[in-house]
């Protein structure tokens, strides 16, 4: 017997605003028949390709320490650095930079969403393949 991940949940202060930010980051969509709207305390978004869901749930507590769990993201197209610039443009904040940590072209960048939840941007699969070949 085993389990599978039904969805990923994110505690937050404003479920609607955070779900809107992450829809732009991940190119996710609202769940059919359950659109997210301002004031909703729970907002679910969906990856139309994989079926993965993320649920944003409003809680009274603010984030106070480093995440114990975070997303490591790879750009679907383009490069890591292009994706970092795109995400900074939609409201992410850079909190760490580990580019070049293992030589030229290696590493990742740590960003935070509008509520301070950290996530990493890794090199794209194309960049990984180019570094091997």
């Amino acid at each position: 017997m085993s389990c599978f991940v039904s969805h990923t949940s994110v505690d937050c202060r404003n479920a609607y605003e955070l779900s809107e930010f992450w829809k732009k980051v991940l190119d996710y969509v609202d769940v059919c028949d359950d659109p997210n709207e301002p004031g909703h305390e729970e907002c679910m978004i969906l990856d139309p390709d994989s079926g993965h869901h993320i649920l944003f749930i409003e809680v009274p507590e603010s984030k106070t320490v480093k995440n114990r769990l975070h997303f490591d993201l790879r750009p679907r197209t383009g490069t890591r650095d292009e994706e970092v610039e795109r995400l900074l443009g939609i409201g992410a904040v850079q909190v760490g930079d580990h580019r070049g940590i293992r030589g030229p072209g290696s590493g990742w960048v740590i960003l935070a969403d509008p509520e301070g939840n950290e996530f990493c941007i890794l090199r794209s699969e194309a960049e990984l393949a180019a570094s091997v070949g």
Side-chain angles (χ1 to χ4, degrees), residues 13-117:
R13 300 292 287 181
N14 188 315
Y16 175 74
E17 287 182 8
L18 209 54
S19 72
E20 290 297 302
F21 172 81
W22 281 99
K23 281 194 313 191
K24 293 175 189 169
V25 171
L26 300 170
D27 203 22
Y28 278 34
V29 297
D30 286 339
V31 175
C32 288
D33 303 324
D34 188 18
N36 300 322
E37 296 181 8
H40 283 183
E41 295 178 358
E42 295 184 0
C43 294
M44 175 120 26
I45 61 175
L46 163 72
D47 180 346
D49 295 327
S50 72
H52 179 255
H53 292 75
I54 303 175
L55 176 62
F56 298 89
I57 304 171
E58 290 185 8
V59 297
E61 310 84 27
S62 296
K63 180 181 178 301
T64 58
V65 297
K66 184 181 183 310
N67 300 21
R68 295 298 302 262
L69 177 73
H70 68 267
F71 295 121
D72 284 342
L73 306 176
R74 283 196 199 284
R76 294 179 194 258
T77 60
T79 68
R80 172 199 57 211
D81 295 346
E82 291 167 339
E83 187 65 1
V84 166
E85 291 306 312
R86 182 182 80 85
L87 298 177
L88 292 173
I90 64 169
V93 175
Q94 185 172 319
V95 296
D97 191 339
H98 297 284
R99 288 179 274 202
I101 195 165
R102 293 188 180 91
S106 68
W108 62 94
V109 178
I110 304 168
L111 301 177
D113 70 17
E115 292 198 12
N117 300 302

